[in-house]
Amino acid sequence: MMNLMHWRLLVAVADHGSITAAAERVGMTQSAASQAMAGMEAALGAQLFTRAPRNTLPTALGLSVIEQARVMLGALQTIRRTVDHARPMLRGSIRIASFPSVLAKFLTPQLQRFAQLYPGIEVTPLEVTDSEVDTLLEAGLIDLGVVLNPQPERNATLLGRDLWLAVLPADHALAQRPSEASVSLEELLQQPFVLATGGCTANARSLGAEAGLALGDIRVQVREWSSAFSLVREGVGVTLVPEMTLPVERRGLRVMPLKVPVHREFALVATPRRPLSSSASALLQMLAQ
């Protein structure tokens, strides 16, 4: 079943010539965007794009479909403007806290769209660690916060999910496996390791602990994912990262899935200190579309 996100993704791929760039534009992971495109083509029963190593180009039929998609999205925007002009403008403010990767790759484009729909609402995003998000929520200092793998009782609004992936130097022994091969969490954690946290409590160490495994040889610990990738390129060790943190330039790196996939979910949770404001409710409703 196709929804508005599929059509926005279709137009973004045409505009950027790349599924990776289009995924970032609409706030999806690269694998989710690829799956969405494949699902759309399967649902329509036609190929809309041709995939080349460096770009993704529309077919002749794809050009016609994209043109109609632009008309449809433009009409939807016109409807929204008409409704906005006919009703009093919603005004207010939202303070929202998130850890860096979700804020940069997912929330920022969504907040830009929200600003177009609700220009009277001021949104203040805060970049913090995941433990700081919980502290701010409990203190009532923010309206909404992004949390990882929320418990059902928190009444969270799911934003998305991605996979944890192994990243190794291209010349590492494990990286010499066939292109479709995977690596087990146990054998990965036994390697010389670059522990990257991204400022989050959920990282390779905590994932290992949940599986009853320990990191035996941590060569260095860093906060920034980008630093970890540089150290892996230099052969310092291997690492384990969320899919959305992967760099566009992967020369010198081998990215491998885990044999038993491990996901992380990220979702918005409201502060328990007060009722949800109309401004925050409008944001959650937009994200749910």
Side-chain angles (χ1 to χ4, degrees):
M1 182 177 179
M2 291 177 287
N3 56 35
L4 283 176
M5 183 63 78
H6 287 89
W7 296 112
R8 292 191 181 102
L9 175 63
L10 178 76
V11 172
V13 173
D15 289 342
H16 295 276
S18 161
I19 291 180
T20 300
E24 292 185 5
R25 178 67 183 86
V26 300
M28 300 174 69
T29 64
Q30 194 275 338
S31 64
S34 296
Q35 292 174 8
M37 288 299 302
M40 176 176 278
E41 290 181 324
L44 293 174
Q47 183 176 354
L48 303 179
F49 290 90
T50 57
R51 280 74 165 173
R54 294 185 177 275
N55 53 25
T56 301
L57 299 174
T59 62
L61 176 60
L63 287 172
S64 298
V65 173
I66 292 163
E67 181 180 354
Q68 294 302 315
R70 292 188 193 278
V71 172
M72 177 182 66
L73 293 174
L76 177 61
Q77 194 68 20
T78 299
I79 291 171
R80 283 177 171 161
R81 283 197 296 266
T82 300
V83 173
D84 288 341
H85 290 157
R87 68 183 181 190
M89 182 181 292
L90 185 62
R91 298 186 180 278
S93 63
I94 308 172
R95 290 173 62 84
I96 180 170
S98 172
F99 40 95
S101 58
V102 171
L103 180 60
K105 293 291 184 72
F106 186 88
L107 269 181
T108 295
Q110 298 289 358
L111 293 179
Q112 290 172 346
R113 184 161 69 94
F114 183 72
Q116 293 176 340
L117 296 174
Y118 297 95
I121 299 177
E122 180 182 2
V123 180
T124 302
L126 306 174
E127 186 176 293
V128 299
T129 66
D130 60 341
S131 60
E132 289 171 335
V133 170
D134 281 322
T135 300
L136 292 170
L137 284 169
E138 290 300 322
L141 297 175
I142 56 176
D143 300 288
L144 299 168
V146 174
V147 299
L148 283 175
N149 303 321
Q151 297 300 315
E153 62 270 16
R154 300 195 73 174
N155 193 28
T157 299
L158 183 65
L159 296 176
R161 69 199 307 243
D162 61 359
L163 284 166
W164 287 91
L165 298 173
V167 182
L168 307 90
D171 58 358
H172 192 281
L174 294 176
Q176 307 315 305
R177 294 177 178 178
S179 59
E180 68 279 5
S182 57
V183 59
S184 72
L185 182 61
E186 182 176 9
E187 61 186 337
L188 183 72
L189 298 187
Q190 291 174 351
Q191 305 301 313
F193 210 88
V194 176
L195 177 58
T197 67
C200 296
T201 54
N203 53 61
R205 178 185 278 133
S206 65
L207 293 177
E210 290 174 6
L213 304 169
L215 284 164
D217 184 9
I218 300 177
R219 296 296 173 91
V220 64
Q221 178 173 330
V222 296
R223 175 188 172 99
E224 301 299 329
W225 305 109
S226 58
S227 300
F229 299 132
S230 297
L231 291 168
V232 172
R233 280 194 180 93
E234 294 171 9
V236 174
V238 303
T239 194
L240 183 68
V241 303
E243 182 181 10
M244 71 162 50
T245 68
L246 290 173
V248 175
E249 175 54 59
R250 301 181 190 177
R251 183 167 45 192
L253 302 175
R254 172 73 191 277
V255 178
M256 301 178 69
L258 296 177
K259 284 186 178 178
V260 179
V262 179
H263 293 88
R264 69 167 190 171
E265 293 185 339
F266 42 95
L268 274 176
V269 171
T271 176
R273 292 293 181 180
R274 57 180 176 274
L276 189 68
S277 69
S278 57
S279 298
S281 179
L283 175 58
L284 294 180
Q285 288 175 14
M286 186 205 77
L287 292 171
Q289 291 179 355

